[in-house]
Amino acid sequence: MKNAWKILAVVLLVYTIVAGFLAPVPNLAILRETIRNLFFHVSMWFSMMTLQTISLYHSVRYLGKSDEKNDWVAAESVHVSILFGTLGLITGSIWARYTWGAWWTNDPQLNGAAITMLSYLAYVLLRKSIDDDQKRARISAVYNIFAYVMMVVFIGIIPRLTSVDSLHPGKGGNPGFNIYDLKSNSLRMIFYPAVLGWILLSTWIMTLRIRMKKIEQTLNRYEK
Amino acid sequence: MLFKQFKALLIKEIKLEFRNMYALNGVLLYVVSTVFVCYLSFKHIAEPRAWNSLFWIIMLFASIHAISKSFMQDSKGLLLYYYSIASPGAVILSKITYNVLLMILLSLICYGCYSLFIGNSVINQELFMSSLILGSIGISSILSLISAIAAKANSNFGLMAVLSFPVLMPLILTLIRVSNYAIEGIAFSVVYKYLLVLSLLDLISLTLACLLFPYLWKD
């Protein structure tokens, strides 16, 4: 039953997709059916941040123990988090076009997402520029920790300082989904399973990539 | 012990700088020519927000240019020598302190040139100056660490810029906000919390730089 969580991921995501597109949702002005994006767009960010936190944990561990497995987990988590971040940007952008009227707006959360993506792309670039395995692992771990803390600062502190309020539901005086949802819980019933499902899926992809890396390493060893 | 090493290394940095003056003059000329290019293309900027943003963009690039050298110019042998005689804390602190001094000088000269050519619409000068000084401390500590990372990756100015932009953003945005208030002439008593945030950011980046540098150090 080691793989039960993978089955759970599949079940939850099938439920998310079927219920997310078909279940009745509150009918609200402007939002209308785009409210279903909650199950896909928002959960992408949850998955991305979970992976980045996993990556941070393993980077800290690497600096302590210099075990190359920690480095693999840190690197692959970042790779997958970039995939999920890109999906989050795309789903958000399409949604924003139909509700706010623009692909991109000057919104603290959008800028935070963009800066996060930039710093993790820089992390990937840094990894590519160093050849020696151990050196790469150590230096990228240092950058990872530094970038994560700065990202938390950016997302946590800066929006509270700016005068421009977020346009996002639930921020800057806009009503959040929880207000519409008090009576029926219809959104919550899909949203929470969706978040868990996507997080599990992203972790699954990450573990697959680590297995690929292990096989590559073993092959390299035999070729030598 | 740590303080003695720190002092010796700092004095060495400053002496080295004054001996050839090449790096310092290079950076100063970089700032002056950038400001002059901006002057030729803009002539005069009436809009305070644009004035402020342009100033900080010039500062951003000039600081990356100035601090990128701090670890790259040291040869491998020299770093090995430091490793055998000094603690990593003393090395990074001396680099940061030297860079803070350099950045304060740089920002004052940049501010002077910029005011001379493009005009100066700052009302609360003290607030603007304190944002310059707090900014210098934060930018130096972040960029000193990034410079050490980029130097370990045997890399060029490009990688240094790409690595430092995202991590500098919280600091730069807060700086732009504070100096906007300085331009509008808002009193200290209203904006002290932004200065507090700036000091906090400085403290975070300084602590992180000192904590993480020892790991970059051992080879």
Side-chain angles (χ1 to χ4, degrees):
Chain A
M1 285 314 282
K2 200 175 74 180
N3 291 327
W5 62 279
K6 292 176 185 167
I7 299 168
L8 181 67
V10 173
V11 172
L12 285 177
L13 286 178
V14 169
Y15 169 69
T16 302
I17 291 168
V18 174
F21 281 112
L22 298 178
V25 288
N27 187 9
L28 301 165
I30 304 174
L31 281 175
R32 303 286 172 211
E33 294 293 322
T34 67
I35 202 168
R36 294 178 194 279
N37 202 22
L38 171 72
F39 314 130
F40 303 98
H41 168 67
V42 182
S43 36
M44 292 299 147
W45 296 118
F46 275 95
S47 315
M48 184 187 86
M49 301 232 268
T50 310
L51 283 172
Q52 285 163 354
T53 310
I54 292 175
S55 176
L56 173 80
Y57 171 74
H58 284 274
S59 284
V60 174
R61 289 267 296 214
Y62 183 84
L63 290 184
K65 298 199 313 176
S66 296
D67 181 359
E68 67 175 347
K69 287 198 186 75
N70 288 132
D71 178 51
W72 292 349
V73 180
E76 294 310 333
S77 304
V78 167
H79 287 149
V80 181
S81 83
I82 288 174
L83 170 73
F84 276 77
T86 314
L87 289 175
L89 279 182
I90 294 172
T91 48
S93 211
I94 296 171
W95 183 77
R97 175 70 188 83
Y98 289 101
T99 47
W100 303 336
W103 298 103
W104 190 270
T105 59
N106 181 23
D107 183 301
Q109 280 186 307
L110 266 69
N111 294 339
I115 292 293
T116 310
M117 293 295 286
L118 281 181
S119 55
Y120 282 98
L121 288 172
Y123 172 85
V124 173
L125 191 73
L126 177 67
R127 287 188 72 88
K128 293 244 189 286
S129 70
I130 308 171
D131 288 327
D132 182 56
D133 280 351
Q134 288 186 345
K135 200 171 163 189
R136 183 201 304 130
R138 207 175 54 245
I139 292 170
S140 57
V142 168
Y143 185 72
N144 193 8
I145 296 169
F146 200 58
Y148 188 90
V149 174
M150 286 299 160
M151 184 189 81
V152 169
V153 168
F154 194 94
I155 294 175
I157 297 178
I158 302 298
R160 285 172 227 287
L161 290 178
T162 48
S163 52
V164 189
D165 265 330
S166 177
L167 290 168
H168 275 85
K171 298 269 162 61
N174 295 323
F177 289 114
N178 46 351
I179 294 171
Y180 309 132
D181 212 24
L182 282 179
K183 280 187 200 119
S184 60
N185 270 336
S186 60
L187 291 177
R188 230 169 276 181
M189 289 286 289
I190 308 171
F191 178 59
Y192 294 148
V195 169
L196 186 62
W198 288 114
I199 289 177
L200 288 178
L201 180 74
S202 61
T203 318
W204 190 1
I205 299 176
M206 187 257 285
T207 53
L208 285 180
R209 288 189 62 113
I210 291 168
R211 280 164 70 182
M212 269 165 65
K213 195 130 179 180
K214 272 183 197 159
I215 294 170
E216 257 172 43
Q217 292 272 328
T218 321
L219 284 179
N220 279 344
R221 210 166 292 147
Y222 281 116
E223 272 167 22
K224 277 173 200 164
Chain B
M1 183 63 187
L2 185 77
F3 183 73
K4 243 172 109 182
Q5 289 176 355
F6 164 74
K7 214 173 106 187
L9 283 167
L10 182 64
I11 289 170
K12 170 241 141 200
E13 290 283 340
I14 294 171
K15 264 189 187 159
L16 207 65
E17 194 57 67
F18 274 99
R19 202 167 288 165
N20 58 19
M21 293 295 271
Y22 161 74
L24 187 66
N25 287 338
V27 169
L28 294 183
L29 199 58
Y30 183 91
V31 170
V32 175
S33 10
T34 315
V35 170
F36 195 66
V37 168
C38 291
Y39 164 67
L40 289 181
S41 44
F42 284 104
K43 296 292 188 284
H44 179 75
I45 301 178
E47 164 73 18
R49 271 179 173 276
W51 184 92
N52 191 26
S53 310
L54 186 65
F55 176 78
W56 283 108
I57 290 171
I58 295 173
M59 280 297 295
L60 179 65
F61 279 91
S63 55
I64 292 176
H65 183 81
I67 300 181
S68 66
K69 281 196 274 301
S70 62
F71 280 95
M72 288 182 201
Q73 69 181 6
D74 292 350
S75 68
K76 252 204 169 108
L78 190 62
L79 285 176
L80 199 64
Y81 178 59
Y82 288 158
Y83 186 56
S84 57
I85 58 163
S87 76
V91 173
I92 187 74
L93 276 177
S94 69
K95 289 272 186 195
I96 289 176
T97 314
Y98 168 71
N99 284 331
V100 169
L101 297 176
L102 180 69
M103 280 298 300
I104 289 176
L105 181 70
L106 186 71
S107 51
L108 289 180
I109 287 174
C110 185
Y111 182 46
C113 272
Y114 198 70
S115 314
L116 182 70
F117 287 118
I118 303 183
N120 186 339
S121 46
V122 178
I123 297 175
N124 190 343
Q125 293 289 347
E126 292 84 10
L127 184 60
F128 198 87
M129 286 296 166
S130 40
S131 79
L132 279 185
I133 290 170
L134 286 175
S136 301
I137 298 172
I139 290 175
S140 316
S141 16
I142 293 177
L143 287 182
S144 301
L145 184 73
I146 300 288
S147 156
I149 291 177
K152 285 282 175 187
N154 311 316
S155 222
N156 45 7
F157 185 72
L159 185 70
M160 170 89 190
V162 169
L163 291 180
S164 48
F165 280 146
V167 284
L168 274 177
M169 269 311 121
L171 190 67
I172 293 284
L173 288 185
T174 321
L175 281 171
I176 289 181
R177 181 143 294 269
V178 173
S179 42
N180 255 334
Y181 287 134
I183 292 169
E184 289 163 7
I186 293 172
F188 265 110
S189 52
V190 184
V191 292
Y192 72 94
K193 73 168 183 180
Y194 291 95
L195 292 177
L196 225 61
V197 170
L198 268 183
S199 323
L200 194 71
L201 280 173
D202 287 357
L203 197 67
I204 292 175
S205 21
L206 195 65
T207 321
L208 273 179
C210 292
L211 277 180
L212 293 175
F213 182 72
Y215 294 102
L216 288 176
W217 183 238
K218 50 181 178 189
D219 232 354

